[in-house]
Amino acid sequence: MPASQPSNMDTLIPAPVFASPAPAEDFAVTAATAVHAVDAAAPVAEHLAELLRAGTGHPVRVLPGPAPDGAIALVLDVAAVPHPEGYRLRVTRRSVTLTAATPAGLFAGVQTLRQLLPAQAGAGWVVAGGEVHDQPRFAHRGAMLDVSRHFSTVAEVKRFIDQIARYKLNVLHLHLTDDQSWRIEIRSWPRLATYGGSTQVGGGPGGYYTQQEYRDLVAYAASRHVTVIPEIDVPGHTNAALASYPELNADGVAPPLFTARGNATGFSSLATDKEITYRFVDDVLREVAALTPGEYLHLGTDETHATPEEGRLAFIDRVLPMAARLGKSVIGWHEILRSPGLPVSTVPQYWGRESSDPLMAAAVARGNRVLLSPAHKVYLDMKYDLSTPIGYTWAGCIDVADIYDWDPAPTWTACPSRPCWASRVHCGRRRSRRTSTSSTWRSPGSRPSPR
Ligand code: ACM
Protein backbone atom coordinates (compact mmCIF):
# COMPACT_ATOMS: atom_id res chain seq x y z
CA MET A 1 0.00 0.00 0.00
CA PRO A 2 1.41 3.47 -0.82
CA ALA A 3 2.43 5.16 2.40
CA SER A 4 -0.11 7.95 2.00
CA GLN A 5 -3.08 5.60 1.68
CA PRO A 6 -5.13 4.75 4.73
CA SER A 7 -5.71 1.09 5.53
CA ASN A 8 -8.71 -0.42 3.86
CA MET A 9 -11.70 -1.18 6.06
CA ASP A 10 -12.31 -4.24 3.95
CA THR A 11 -9.11 -5.90 5.14
CA LEU A 12 -9.63 -5.65 8.89
CA ILE A 13 -8.49 -8.75 10.79
CA PRO A 14 -10.53 -10.34 12.19
CA ALA A 15 -13.34 -9.32 9.85
CA PRO A 16 -15.87 -7.20 11.73
CA VAL A 17 -19.61 -7.81 11.71
CA PHE A 18 -20.17 -4.66 9.64
CA ALA A 19 -17.87 -2.20 7.88
CA SER A 20 -18.88 0.63 5.63
CA PRO A 21 -15.90 2.51 4.17
CA ALA A 22 -16.32 6.21 3.35
CA PRO A 23 -13.04 7.29 1.72
CA ALA A 24 -14.13 10.94 1.56
CA GLU A 25 -14.33 10.92 5.36
CA ASP A 26 -10.72 10.09 6.23
CA PHE A 27 -9.63 11.64 9.52
CA ALA A 28 -6.16 13.14 9.95
CA VAL A 29 -4.25 12.72 13.21
CA THR A 30 -2.25 15.93 13.71
CA ALA A 31 -0.22 17.68 16.38
CA ALA A 32 -3.51 19.08 17.70
CA THR A 33 -5.34 15.76 18.04
CA ALA A 34 -6.47 14.78 21.54
CA VAL A 35 -8.37 11.77 22.87
CA HIS A 36 -11.35 12.65 25.07
CA ALA A 37 -12.65 10.23 27.68
CA VAL A 38 -13.89 10.16 31.25
CA ASP A 39 -14.00 7.69 34.13
CA ALA A 40 -13.56 4.02 33.16
CA ALA A 41 -12.83 4.97 29.54
CA ALA A 42 -9.75 6.99 30.55
CA PRO A 43 -7.23 4.07 30.78
CA VAL A 44 -8.18 2.89 27.28
CA ALA A 45 -7.86 6.48 26.04
CA GLU A 46 -4.39 6.67 27.57
CA HIS A 47 -3.48 3.37 25.86
CA LEU A 48 -4.66 4.74 22.49
CA ALA A 49 -2.90 8.07 23.03
CA GLU A 50 0.33 6.27 23.87
CA LEU A 51 0.10 4.18 20.70
CA LEU A 52 -0.62 7.27 18.62
CA ARG A 53 2.24 9.20 20.23
CA ALA A 54 4.67 6.34 19.57
CA GLY A 55 3.46 5.87 15.99
CA THR A 56 2.95 9.44 14.84
CA GLY A 57 5.34 11.41 17.01
CA HIS A 58 2.49 13.84 17.76
CA PRO A 59 1.92 14.82 21.44
CA VAL A 60 -1.55 13.26 21.57
CA ARG A 61 -3.12 14.23 24.91
CA VAL A 62 -5.94 12.64 26.90
CA LEU A 63 -8.56 15.17 27.98
CA PRO A 64 -11.80 14.90 29.93
CA GLY A 65 -15.15 16.17 28.77
CA PRO A 66 -17.03 16.20 25.47
CA ALA A 67 -14.89 16.04 22.35
CA PRO A 68 -14.68 19.12 20.12
CA ASP A 69 -14.21 18.94 16.34
CA GLY A 70 -10.90 17.41 15.40
CA ALA A 71 -10.83 15.05 18.39
CA ILE A 72 -11.15 11.35 19.07
CA ALA A 73 -13.88 10.51 21.58
CA LEU A 74 -14.09 7.29 23.59
CA VAL A 75 -17.60 6.91 24.98
CA LEU A 76 -19.08 4.32 27.33
CA ASP A 77 -22.76 3.80 26.55
CA VAL A 78 -24.47 0.51 27.45
CA ALA A 79 -27.66 1.43 25.61
CA ALA A 80 -25.82 2.05 22.32
CA VAL A 81 -23.80 -1.18 22.31
CA PRO A 82 -25.43 -4.08 24.17
CA HIS A 83 -22.64 -6.66 23.75
CA PRO A 84 -20.02 -6.32 26.53
CA GLU A 85 -17.13 -6.69 24.10
CA GLY A 86 -18.79 -4.95 21.15
CA TYR A 87 -18.07 -1.46 19.82
CA ARG A 88 -19.10 1.04 17.18
CA LEU A 89 -16.49 3.13 15.47
CA ARG A 90 -17.39 6.17 13.37
CA VAL A 91 -14.65 7.97 11.49
CA THR A 92 -15.44 11.25 9.73
CA ARG A 93 -13.29 14.13 8.51
CA ARG A 94 -14.24 16.06 11.66
CA SER A 95 -13.97 13.44 14.40
CA VAL A 96 -13.57 9.86 15.48
CA THR A 97 -16.16 8.42 17.88
CA LEU A 98 -15.65 5.04 19.48
CA THR A 99 -18.58 3.79 21.57
CA ALA A 100 -18.79 0.64 23.69
CA ALA A 101 -20.54 -0.70 26.76
CA THR A 102 -17.32 -1.55 28.60
CA PRO A 103 -13.60 -0.72 28.59
CA ALA A 104 -13.04 -4.15 26.97
CA GLY A 105 -15.26 -3.10 24.07
CA LEU A 106 -13.41 0.21 23.76
CA PHE A 107 -10.10 -1.65 23.79
CA ALA A 108 -11.31 -3.88 20.93
CA GLY A 109 -12.36 -0.77 18.99
CA VAL A 110 -8.93 0.76 19.55
CA GLN A 111 -7.36 -2.31 17.91
CA THR A 112 -9.57 -1.72 14.87
CA LEU A 113 -8.66 1.97 14.83
CA ARG A 114 -4.98 0.99 14.71
CA GLN A 115 -5.60 -1.10 11.59
CA LEU A 116 -7.29 1.87 9.93
CA LEU A 117 -4.07 3.88 10.14
CA PRO A 118 -1.42 3.52 7.44
CA ALA A 119 1.70 1.52 8.25
CA GLN A 120 3.81 4.63 7.67
CA ALA A 121 3.09 8.34 7.71
CA GLY A 122 3.74 9.16 4.07
CA ALA A 123 1.50 12.15 3.39
CA GLY A 124 0.12 12.06 6.93
CA TRP A 125 -1.41 9.93 9.64
CA VAL A 126 -4.86 9.32 8.20
CA VAL A 127 -7.52 7.06 9.72
CA ALA A 128 -9.72 5.45 7.03
CA GLY A 129 -13.17 7.04 7.07
CA GLY A 130 -16.39 5.11 7.54
CA GLU A 131 -18.15 3.04 10.14
CA VAL A 132 -17.41 -0.31 11.81
CA HIS A 133 -19.77 -2.25 14.09
CA ASP A 134 -18.41 -5.32 15.73
CA GLN A 135 -18.86 -7.86 18.47
CA PRO A 136 -17.13 -11.18 19.04
CA ARG A 137 -18.81 -14.39 18.06
CA PHE A 138 -17.08 -16.36 20.81
CA ALA A 139 -16.59 -15.39 24.43
CA HIS A 140 -13.24 -17.17 24.78
CA ARG A 141 -10.67 -16.34 22.12
CA GLY A 142 -7.35 -17.71 23.21
CA ALA A 143 -3.78 -18.31 22.26
CA MET A 144 -1.50 -20.85 23.88
CA LEU A 145 2.20 -20.27 24.42
CA ASP A 146 4.42 -23.22 25.29
CA VAL A 147 7.07 -21.74 27.54
CA SER A 148 7.98 -25.16 28.88
CA ARG A 149 9.72 -26.68 25.86
CA HIS A 150 11.45 -23.33 25.20
CA PHE A 151 11.59 -20.59 27.77
CA SER A 152 10.22 -17.14 26.89
CA THR A 153 11.33 -14.22 29.02
CA VAL A 154 8.81 -11.94 30.72
CA ALA A 155 9.47 -9.31 28.03
CA GLU A 156 8.84 -11.86 25.27
CA VAL A 157 5.58 -12.99 26.84
CA LYS A 158 4.47 -9.36 27.14
CA ARG A 159 5.20 -8.86 23.47
CA PHE A 160 3.16 -11.95 22.67
CA ILE A 161 0.28 -10.56 24.75
CA ASP A 162 0.45 -7.31 22.79
CA GLN A 163 0.33 -9.22 19.54
CA ILE A 164 -2.66 -11.41 20.42
CA ALA A 165 -4.55 -8.42 21.83
CA ARG A 166 -4.20 -6.68 18.45
CA TYR A 167 -6.34 -9.44 16.97
CA LYS A 168 -8.89 -9.27 19.82
CA LEU A 169 -7.91 -12.53 21.48
CA ASN A 170 -8.77 -12.34 25.15
CA VAL A 171 -7.15 -15.42 26.73
CA LEU A 172 -3.49 -16.37 27.10
CA HIS A 173 -3.10 -20.06 27.93
CA LEU A 174 0.39 -20.49 29.35
CA HIS A 175 1.71 -24.05 29.17
CA LEU A 176 3.95 -23.78 32.21
CA THR A 177 5.01 -27.35 32.88
CA ASP A 178 5.94 -30.40 30.86
CA ASP A 179 8.54 -33.15 30.60
CA GLN A 180 11.21 -30.66 29.55
CA SER A 181 10.73 -28.10 32.32
CA TRP A 182 8.76 -26.48 35.12
CA ARG A 183 8.54 -22.70 34.66
CA ILE A 184 6.68 -21.28 37.67
CA GLU A 185 8.07 -20.79 41.18
CA ILE A 186 6.25 -22.97 43.73
CA ARG A 187 7.47 -21.89 47.15
CA SER A 188 6.52 -25.11 48.92
CA TRP A 189 8.37 -27.22 46.30
CA PRO A 190 11.23 -24.92 45.28
CA ARG A 191 13.28 -27.41 43.23
CA LEU A 192 10.49 -27.58 40.65
CA ALA A 193 11.62 -24.23 39.29
CA THR A 194 15.25 -24.06 40.34
CA TYR A 195 16.11 -27.55 39.07
CA GLY A 196 13.12 -28.55 36.94
CA GLY A 197 13.20 -25.18 35.17
CA SER A 198 16.95 -25.18 34.60
CA THR A 199 16.91 -26.36 31.01
CA GLN A 200 14.87 -26.69 27.83
CA VAL A 201 14.69 -28.57 24.55
CA GLY A 202 18.21 -28.86 23.20
CA GLY A 203 19.74 -28.36 26.64
CA GLY A 204 19.74 -24.55 26.85
CA PRO A 205 19.71 -22.75 30.19
CA GLY A 206 15.90 -22.53 30.49
CA GLY A 207 14.49 -20.30 33.21
CA TYR A 208 11.37 -19.78 35.28
CA TYR A 209 9.03 -17.04 36.43
CA THR A 210 9.17 -16.01 40.07
CA GLN A 211 5.74 -15.54 41.57
CA GLN A 212 6.29 -11.79 41.42
CA GLU A 213 7.15 -11.96 37.71
CA TYR A 214 4.14 -14.13 37.06
CA ARG A 215 1.85 -11.66 38.88
CA ASP A 216 3.34 -8.92 36.73
CA LEU A 217 2.51 -10.91 33.57
CA VAL A 218 -1.06 -11.49 34.74
CA ALA A 219 -1.47 -7.77 35.46
CA TYR A 220 0.06 -6.79 32.12
CA ALA A 221 -2.32 -9.16 30.34
CA ALA A 222 -5.27 -7.72 32.27
CA SER A 223 -4.30 -4.23 31.12
CA ARG A 224 -4.77 -5.58 27.56
CA HIS A 225 -8.08 -7.27 28.51
CA VAL A 226 -6.43 -10.67 28.31
CA THR A 227 -6.98 -13.31 31.01
CA VAL A 228 -4.14 -15.73 31.74
CA ILE A 229 -5.01 -19.41 32.15
CA PRO A 230 -2.08 -21.31 33.66
CA GLU A 231 -1.63 -24.93 32.64
CA ILE A 232 -0.04 -27.36 35.08
CA ASP A 233 0.00 -30.58 33.06
CA VAL A 234 -0.62 -33.64 35.28
CA PRO A 235 -0.36 -36.60 35.84
CA GLY A 236 1.61 -37.18 32.60
CA HIS A 237 4.00 -34.70 30.96
CA THR A 238 5.70 -34.47 34.36
CA ASN A 239 9.33 -35.51 33.88
CA ALA A 240 10.63 -32.15 35.12
CA ALA A 241 8.72 -32.54 38.40
CA LEU A 242 9.75 -36.19 38.71
CA ALA A 243 13.39 -35.22 38.14
CA SER A 244 13.14 -32.56 40.85
CA TYR A 245 11.55 -34.74 43.56
CA PRO A 246 12.32 -38.51 43.64
CA GLU A 247 9.43 -39.15 46.04
CA LEU A 248 6.91 -38.33 43.29
CA ASN A 249 8.11 -41.34 41.27
CA ALA A 250 6.53 -44.78 41.61
CA ASP A 251 9.97 -46.30 42.26
CA GLY A 252 11.24 -43.35 44.32
CA VAL A 253 14.07 -42.72 41.85
CA ALA A 254 14.36 -39.36 40.07
CA PRO A 255 14.90 -39.61 36.32
CA PRO A 256 17.38 -37.28 34.63
CA LEU A 257 16.18 -34.00 33.18
CA PHE A 258 14.78 -34.46 29.68
CA THR A 259 15.80 -32.11 26.88
CA ALA A 260 14.73 -33.91 23.71
CA ARG A 261 12.16 -32.40 21.40
CA GLY A 262 8.52 -32.68 22.34
CA ASN A 263 7.71 -35.55 20.01
CA ALA A 264 8.59 -38.09 22.68
CA THR A 265 5.50 -37.73 24.83
CA GLY A 266 3.47 -39.85 27.19
CA PHE A 267 6.39 -41.56 28.97
CA SER A 268 6.17 -39.88 32.40
CA SER A 269 3.65 -40.10 35.22
CA LEU A 270 3.22 -38.96 38.78
CA ALA A 271 2.76 -41.93 41.12
CA THR A 272 -1.02 -41.84 41.37
CA ASP A 273 -1.11 -44.33 44.24
CA LYS A 274 1.15 -42.32 46.57
CA GLU A 275 -0.29 -39.86 49.09
CA ILE A 276 2.61 -37.47 48.57
CA THR A 277 1.45 -36.97 44.98
CA TYR A 278 -1.80 -35.47 46.26
CA ARG A 279 -0.01 -33.25 48.79
CA PHE A 280 2.15 -32.09 45.90
CA VAL A 281 -0.76 -31.33 43.57
CA ASP A 282 -2.70 -29.64 46.37
CA ASP A 283 0.25 -27.38 47.20
CA VAL A 284 0.90 -26.51 43.57
CA LEU A 285 -2.75 -25.75 42.82
CA ARG A 286 -3.07 -23.64 45.97
CA GLU A 287 -0.08 -21.49 45.03
CA VAL A 288 -1.05 -21.20 41.37
CA ALA A 289 -4.69 -20.42 42.21
CA ALA A 290 -3.53 -17.61 44.50
CA LEU A 291 -1.76 -16.06 41.48
CA THR A 292 -4.75 -16.53 39.20
CA PRO A 293 -7.62 -14.02 39.25
CA GLY A 294 -9.34 -15.84 36.36
CA GLU A 295 -11.90 -18.60 36.80
CA TYR A 296 -9.88 -21.44 35.27
CA LEU A 297 -6.91 -23.65 35.99
CA HIS A 298 -5.81 -25.91 33.13
CA LEU A 299 -4.71 -29.32 34.43
CA GLY A 300 -3.57 -30.90 31.18
CA THR A 301 -4.46 -34.60 31.68
CA ASP A 302 -3.45 -35.46 28.11
CA GLU A 303 -1.39 -38.36 26.85
CA THR A 304 -1.36 -40.32 30.11
CA HIS A 305 0.11 -43.39 28.42
CA ALA A 306 2.41 -44.08 31.38
CA THR A 307 -0.38 -43.83 33.96
CA PRO A 308 -2.42 -46.98 34.65
CA GLU A 309 -6.04 -46.21 33.72
CA GLU A 310 -7.25 -47.01 37.24
CA GLY A 311 -4.68 -44.60 38.64
CA ARG A 312 -5.66 -41.91 36.13
CA LEU A 313 -9.31 -42.19 37.12
CA ALA A 314 -8.45 -42.02 40.83
CA PHE A 315 -6.17 -39.07 40.20
CA ILE A 316 -8.81 -37.04 38.35
CA ASP A 317 -11.36 -37.88 41.07
CA ARG A 318 -9.05 -36.45 43.71
CA VAL A 319 -7.65 -33.38 41.99
CA LEU A 320 -10.85 -31.89 40.58
CA PRO A 321 -12.27 -31.23 44.07
CA MET A 322 -8.95 -29.59 45.03
CA ALA A 323 -9.49 -27.00 42.29
CA ALA A 324 -13.13 -26.58 43.31
CA ARG A 325 -12.10 -25.91 46.92
CA LEU A 326 -9.85 -23.16 45.60
CA GLY A 327 -12.81 -21.63 43.78
CA LYS A 328 -11.53 -22.60 40.33
CA SER A 329 -13.04 -24.51 37.44
CA VAL A 330 -10.89 -26.96 35.53
CA ILE A 331 -9.95 -27.12 31.87
CA GLY A 332 -8.37 -30.38 30.69
CA TRP A 333 -7.34 -31.65 27.29
CA HIS A 334 -10.19 -33.74 25.90
CA GLU A 335 -8.79 -37.00 27.31
CA ILE A 336 -10.23 -35.81 30.62
CA LEU A 337 -13.62 -36.90 29.26
CA ARG A 338 -12.60 -40.54 29.80
CA SER A 339 -13.45 -39.87 33.44
CA PRO A 340 -17.15 -40.39 34.07
CA GLY A 341 -19.23 -37.96 36.12
CA LEU A 342 -17.18 -34.82 35.53
CA PRO A 343 -18.73 -31.66 36.94
CA VAL A 344 -20.56 -29.56 34.39
CA SER A 345 -18.05 -26.79 35.09
CA THR A 346 -15.18 -28.88 33.63
CA VAL A 347 -14.12 -27.68 30.20
CA PRO A 348 -12.60 -30.24 27.80
CA GLN A 349 -10.23 -28.79 25.21
CA TYR A 350 -10.29 -30.82 22.01
CA TRP A 351 -6.94 -31.26 20.27
CA GLY A 352 -7.86 -34.29 18.14
CA ARG A 353 -8.27 -34.40 14.40
CA GLU A 354 -11.73 -35.88 13.97
CA SER A 355 -14.71 -33.92 12.69
CA SER A 356 -16.78 -35.18 15.60
CA ASP A 357 -16.16 -36.93 18.88
CA PRO A 358 -18.84 -38.79 20.86
CA LEU A 359 -17.38 -37.85 24.27
CA MET A 360 -17.22 -34.17 23.29
CA ALA A 361 -20.75 -34.30 21.89
CA ALA A 362 -21.98 -35.90 25.11
CA ALA A 363 -20.20 -33.24 27.18
CA VAL A 364 -21.82 -30.48 25.14
CA ALA A 365 -25.20 -32.18 25.56
CA ARG A 366 -24.67 -32.27 29.33
CA GLY A 367 -24.02 -28.53 29.30
CA ASN A 368 -20.23 -28.45 29.62
CA ARG A 369 -18.56 -25.65 27.76
CA VAL A 370 -15.89 -26.89 25.37
CA LEU A 371 -12.78 -25.48 23.78
CA LEU A 372 -11.77 -26.52 20.30
CA SER A 373 -8.18 -26.64 19.14
CA PRO A 374 -8.14 -29.42 16.53
CA ALA A 375 -4.51 -30.03 15.68
CA HIS A 376 -5.06 -30.29 11.93
CA LYS A 377 -6.71 -26.88 11.84
CA VAL A 378 -4.97 -24.64 14.32
CA TYR A 379 -1.65 -26.03 15.51
CA LEU A 380 0.59 -23.24 14.32
CA ASP A 381 3.78 -25.30 14.30
CA MET A 382 2.64 -27.37 11.32
CA LYS A 383 4.30 -26.57 7.99
CA TYR A 384 2.30 -24.46 5.55
CA ASP A 385 3.17 -26.99 2.83
CA LEU A 386 5.90 -29.57 2.32
CA SER A 387 8.36 -26.96 1.09
CA THR A 388 8.18 -24.99 4.37
CA PRO A 389 11.66 -25.29 5.91
CA ILE A 390 10.60 -25.54 9.55
CA GLY A 391 7.65 -27.09 11.31
CA TYR A 392 5.98 -30.45 11.70
CA THR A 393 3.59 -32.43 9.52
CA TRP A 394 2.14 -34.95 11.99
CA ALA A 395 -1.19 -33.09 11.97
CA GLY A 396 -0.93 -32.22 8.29
CA CYS A 397 0.17 -29.08 6.47
CA ILE A 398 -1.81 -26.02 7.51
CA ASP A 399 -1.55 -22.76 5.62
CA VAL A 400 -2.84 -19.40 6.77
CA ALA A 401 -6.10 -19.72 4.81
CA ASP A 402 -6.81 -23.12 6.42
CA ILE A 403 -6.59 -21.54 9.84
CA TYR A 404 -8.33 -18.30 9.07
CA ASP A 405 -11.23 -19.94 7.23
CA TRP A 406 -11.82 -22.63 9.82
CA ASP A 407 -15.24 -22.29 11.38
CA PRO A 408 -15.59 -24.30 14.59
CA ALA A 409 -19.32 -23.88 14.88
CA PRO A 410 -20.71 -26.27 12.24
CA THR A 411 -18.99 -29.26 13.83
CA TRP A 412 -20.07 -28.67 17.31
CA THR A 413 -23.34 -26.81 17.20
CA ALA A 414 -25.00 -29.65 15.31
CA CYS A 415 -24.91 -32.02 18.28
CA PRO A 416 -26.97 -30.73 21.17
CA SER A 417 -30.36 -29.18 21.53
CA ARG A 418 -28.95 -27.16 24.45
CA PRO A 419 -26.85 -24.03 24.12
CA CYS A 420 -23.43 -24.95 22.87
CA TRP A 421 -20.03 -23.37 23.03
CA ALA A 422 -17.31 -23.69 20.51
CA SER A 423 -13.73 -22.75 20.69
CA ARG A 424 -10.98 -21.88 18.36
CA VAL A 425 -7.48 -22.64 19.45
CA HIS A 426 -4.25 -22.24 17.62
CA CYS A 427 -2.06 -24.64 19.42
CA GLY A 428 1.14 -26.35 18.78
CA ARG A 429 2.68 -27.06 22.04
CA ARG A 430 3.06 -30.80 21.68
CA ARG A 431 5.96 -31.05 19.34
CA SER A 432 6.81 -27.48 18.97
CA ARG A 433 9.53 -25.02 19.61
CA ARG A 434 7.38 -22.12 20.63
CA THR A 435 3.74 -22.31 19.78
CA SER A 436 0.48 -20.54 20.19
CA THR A 437 -3.20 -21.15 20.37
CA SER A 438 -6.37 -19.22 20.07
CA SER A 439 -9.67 -20.40 21.32
CA THR A 440 -13.19 -19.40 21.99
CA TRP A 441 -16.41 -20.50 23.41
CA ARG A 442 -19.66 -19.39 22.13
CA SER A 443 -22.32 -17.91 24.33
CA PRO A 444 -25.87 -19.08 23.93
CA GLY A 445 -27.71 -16.80 21.60
CA SER A 446 -24.60 -15.14 20.23
CA ARG A 447 -24.97 -14.55 16.57
CA PRO A 448 -22.56 -15.69 13.93
CA SER A 449 -20.29 -13.12 12.41
CA PRO A 450 -17.53 -13.40 9.85
CA ARG A 451 -14.96 -13.62 12.65
C1 ACM B 1 -1.46 -31.91 23.12
O1 ACM B 1 -1.01 -31.43 22.06
N1 ACM B 1 -0.92 -33.02 23.64
C2 ACM B 1 -2.57 -31.30 23.80
Side-chain angles (χ1 to χ4, degrees), residues 51-64:
L51 291 168
L52 290 174
R53 278 179 220 128
T56 67
H58 295 315
V60 180
R61 287 162 306 149
V62 175
L63 299 173

Side-chain angles (χ1 to χ4, degrees), residues 237 302-303 333 335 351 379 394 427 429-430:
H237 288 266
D302 56 324
E303 297 182 295
W333 297 105
E335 291 99 316
W351 67 280
Y379 272 42
W394 62 265
C427 168
R429 78 173 180 71
R430 193 161 84 115

Side-chain angles (χ1 to χ4, degrees), residues 134-157:
D134 200 11
Q135 64 181 50
R137 182 181 179 190
F138 297 106
H140 178 128
R141 307 175 300 281
M144 192 194 84
L145 188 62
D146 178 351
V147 292
S148 175
R149 271 55 177 271
H150 289 265
F151 184 58
S152 295
T153 63
V154 168
E156 287 165 342
V157 178

